[in-house]
Amino acid sequence: SKENNGGVTRNLPVDAVINLDHGDPTMYESYWRTLGDDECTFVIKGYESLSYFSNPKNPCWFLEPKLEESIKSLHGAVGNAATDGYSIVVGTGSSQLLQAVLYAVTSHDQPNQINVVSAAPYYSSYPEITDLVRSGLYKWAGDAHQFDKNEPYVEFVTSPNNPSGVIRGPVVNGGGGILVHDLAYYWPQYTPITSSLEFDIMLFTASKCTGHAGSRIGWALVKDKEVAKKMTKFMEVITIGVSKESQLRVAKILQVIVDRCKCFGSPEGHNFFEFGKNLLTKRWEILRETVKQNKMFILPKYPLQHCNYTGDVTQAHPAFAWIKCKDGTDCEKLFRNHNILTRGGRKFGSDPGFVRVSMLGREEEFNLFIDRLSMIQIFNKGDGHENENLD
Amino acid sequence: SKENNGGVTRNLPVDAVINLDHGDPTMYESYWRTLGDDECTFVIKGYESLSYFSNPKNPCWFLEPKLEESIKSLHGAVGNAATDGYSIVVGTGSSQLLQAVLYAVTSHDQPNQINVVSAAPYYSSYPEITDLVRSGLYKWAGDAHQFDKNEPYVEFVTSPNNPSGVIRGPVVNGGGGILVHDLAYYWPQYTPITSSLEFDIMLFTASKCTGHAGSRIGWALVKDKEVAKKMTKFMEVITIGVSKESQLRVAKILQVIVDRCKCFGSPEGHNFFEFGKNLLTKRWEILRETVKQNKMFILPKYPLQHCNYTGDVTQAHPAFAWIKCKDGTDCEKLFRNHNILTRGGRKFGSDPGFVRVSMLGREEEFNLFIDRLSMIQIFNKGDGHENENLD
């Protein structure tokens, strides 16, 4: 199985384990390489940003003013979320902001833990984050579809959804809960932008917007000033703020995207979202074609919608493929046998027939994934001449 | 009160509020300004460090290899802690590592919360961090001197101590507890380095070592591999790792310190610890002289000890002055009336006669603090000709 596969020279050995479990957004590296160093290289001198404080006048005193400005410019240019009248709270990724929200909307006086729910299939980290230290303030209460208690709750609304890519709204009947909109994937490369959202609490992250996952920068747009203050307090106690280097670098990167994102469709403009959308469109076409050929799997379908940002009528090309084995086989196990690491459906509150596969890896990893997916077809048809590759 | 004070031109108005509540280490800015840009400017290109992963082969997969290397070199050069046989876990400041330790040493199966204690006066953040989300795994149990339950416990041993600057060991009788050594201030500018420590869990932070508090980089040296793994798991769930930009910049900064720290006492060498020690020695002399003059306050005394790093016999010059009002006045309130923000004794499990005052501010802030401290003397002697400045 070490032989050259189809004459294509690869850096990865043909039997390399490919990790598509995390949504590691390395496909964006090739975009950032095409831009000149002057434009997006971040430089900081030895004596800069020593202080804990970024802006003592801002209730979120550790938020760099340049990052705040870039975030507002970017939402303005893309039109995916309102920022007027919102407080911005920065976090060490949006994971930390989720916890800050839970802390901010609960109270030390409440007799019971507040219920935290999200509609299945939900992001696998929600239950883990919520229950990690067995908080007395909040507890994971599972699938929002099943929640029928007459008790206070927080509902995470993930739209587009991780893992399934679909646009969602809250599902708990009766209402009265606190809604947290996790909008990590509400960017034009993944899904049509159909309106500028104005929810009470909206979470975003650089990881999935620009590809800079290593920077660990997330931000929350928060309508209620008191909630924003309590979130800031949480971050103050837990990590005394957020890396200045990451904030300043991401501020620069977002500004580069803004400067280049006004002209969609001009081939020389190096529009970031156009790069992302084109590459994901291509990958989804290849994936759909492969799945169609081997007849073993099912992929979600996404409606055609008008995107206010691109001006096109288009369907979603999500960051993850939410794949189901037609015959109910444990899909994570099947893929692991082919040296493809994915995340099984059970972790998302769904069934093991499903897996979540990252579509954001490097070109080489994606190609190897597609090659192996094709081989699964051959094996299962009983053709079997390639089955030396399968264990 | 806006008149020019003693002919010294200042950027700060003479009645400016000075914040010496946080230990914001801005005094180090002037050191980093003296070094050439080439040596300590950090540069990162737009396409670098996009991935979540730094080193998939390390159990702490988000630790940058360069940071790991610099940390080992620095401890080797200073001789303050052993690194051989230890796992290094990086955190978003040492605050996050404290929480990671609490998570790592407790178990979801245990019937009761583990007790978390530290000897008063203890770092004011310990109770806040421990109880913030009312964890079911651990709870703050107060002053370690008072702890006499026959139950499992974690003892934070802060040495040199924050706020009091003294060298400490564990105090709970009977033992059997888990000891966490918080060594944020165990560096030659603050205290004589009397031995290379080899405790089970040792915490450090760039904030207090190099002055780069804004970077939010802490590290733990951990003997037990399983504890290090659980700490890593905590960081994975809570923030999916630690900012790469901060890790890489701090790696560079630590290496600059290492390269220059081998020759202590050479005036041209720009030894970082020598700069810090000289400046703190000067500030402590001025502070002790001022306190001696006005007879209202008490400062701790520190023993003369041989420092293995500098080769001198020297006393401590801590990052904080732990000041007591002789007559038991609420010292925080007294200082606030003079526009000096400090942290009152009660927050450290001590009495309100004490305050903690940062010695790490900019020169101008320190000078204003000393000016005002002198004026408190004048007022209280009934001389009173300056009392228009006092409310």
Side-chain angles (χ1 to χ4, degrees), chain B residues 292-320:
Chain B
K292 195 176 160 191
Q293 294 294 326
N294 75 11
K295 300 188 172 69
M296 281 186 61
F297 303 103
I298 302 169
L299 286 172
K301 291 199 177 107
Y302 304 103
L304 285 167
Q305 286 184 292
H306 182 265
C307 175
N308 295 340
Y309 172 71
T310 64
D312 293 343
V313 172
T314 179
Q315 58 177 312
H317 306 101
F320 297 105

Side-chain angles (χ1 to χ4, degrees), chain A residues 373-388:
Chain A
L373 202 62
S374 320
M375 287 196 269
I376 297 179
Q377 173 199 16
I378 293 161
F379 177 66
N380 278 275
K381 280 182 174 166
D383 188 335
H385 70 272
E386 291 242 41
N387 68 359
E388 68 272 24

Side-chain angles (χ1 to χ4, degrees), chain A residues 210-228:
Chain A
T210 75
H212 291 81
S215 307
R216 313 306 314 121
I217 292 294
W219 63 92
L221 305 178
V222 184
K223 236 180 216 168
D224 183 326
K225 283 190 173 45
E226 291 310 309
V227 170

Side-chain angles (χ1 to χ4, degrees), chain B residues 132-300:
Chain B
L132 191 73
V133 301
R134 292 206 328 218
S135 172
L137 303 177
Y138 42 79
K139 64 160 189 266
W140 178 248
D143 185 359
H145 292 295
Q146 311 294 324
F147 184 73
D148 55 8
K149 290 181 188 157
N150 191 17
E151 292 177 7
Y153 67 92
V154 174
E155 181 176 354
F156 292 144
V157 181
T158 320
S159 184
N161 190 35
N162 172 0
S164 66
V166 302
I167 296 293
R168 307 211 296 189
V171 306
V172 176
N173 281 323
I178 291 157
L179 302 181
V180 181
H181 281 79
D182 183 343
L183 304 173
Y185 302 93
Y186 193 54
W187 297 103
Q189 68 267 53
Y190 303 119
T191 201
I193 302 302
T194 55
S195 69
S196 181
L197 303 178
E198 298 188 7
F199 298 115
D200 286 350
I201 304 174
M202 302 190 278
L203 304 183
F204 292 92
T205 167
S207 306
K208 299 304 154 43
C209 170
T210 74
H212 291 80
S215 306
R216 314 304 315 117
I217 292 294
W219 61 92
L221 305 179
V222 183
K223 234 178 218 170
D224 183 327
K225 283 190 172 47
E226 290 309 309
V227 170
K229 262 189 209 162
K230 276 193 77 181
M231 290 175 69
T232 300
K233 170 70 182 170
F234 178 87
M235 231 85 66
E236 181 179 324
V237 173
I238 292 296
T239 51
I240 324 184
V242 175
S243 160
K244 306 293 182 244
E245 292 87 347
S246 289
Q247 289 192 62
L248 292 170
R249 183 179 181 220
V250 167
K252 179 156 196 171
I253 293 287
L254 296 184
Q255 195 54 51
V256 171
I257 294 180
V258 170
D259 291 344
R260 289 177 168 277
C261 90
K262 280 154 194 170
C263 45
F264 194 86
S266 103
E268 299 308 313
H270 289 303
N271 180 311
F272 173 77
F273 296 118
E274 194 162 6
F275 165 89
K277 193 186 166 202
N278 288 345
L279 186 50
L280 285 168
T281 301
K282 203 185 79 187
R283 289 187 176 186
W284 272 94
E285 280 168 9
I286 295 170
L287 176 64
R288 288 197 187 275
E289 186 55 34
T290 309
V291 163
K292 195 176 160 191
Q293 294 294 326
N294 75 11
K295 300 188 172 69
M296 281 186 61
F297 303 103
I298 302 169
L299 286 172

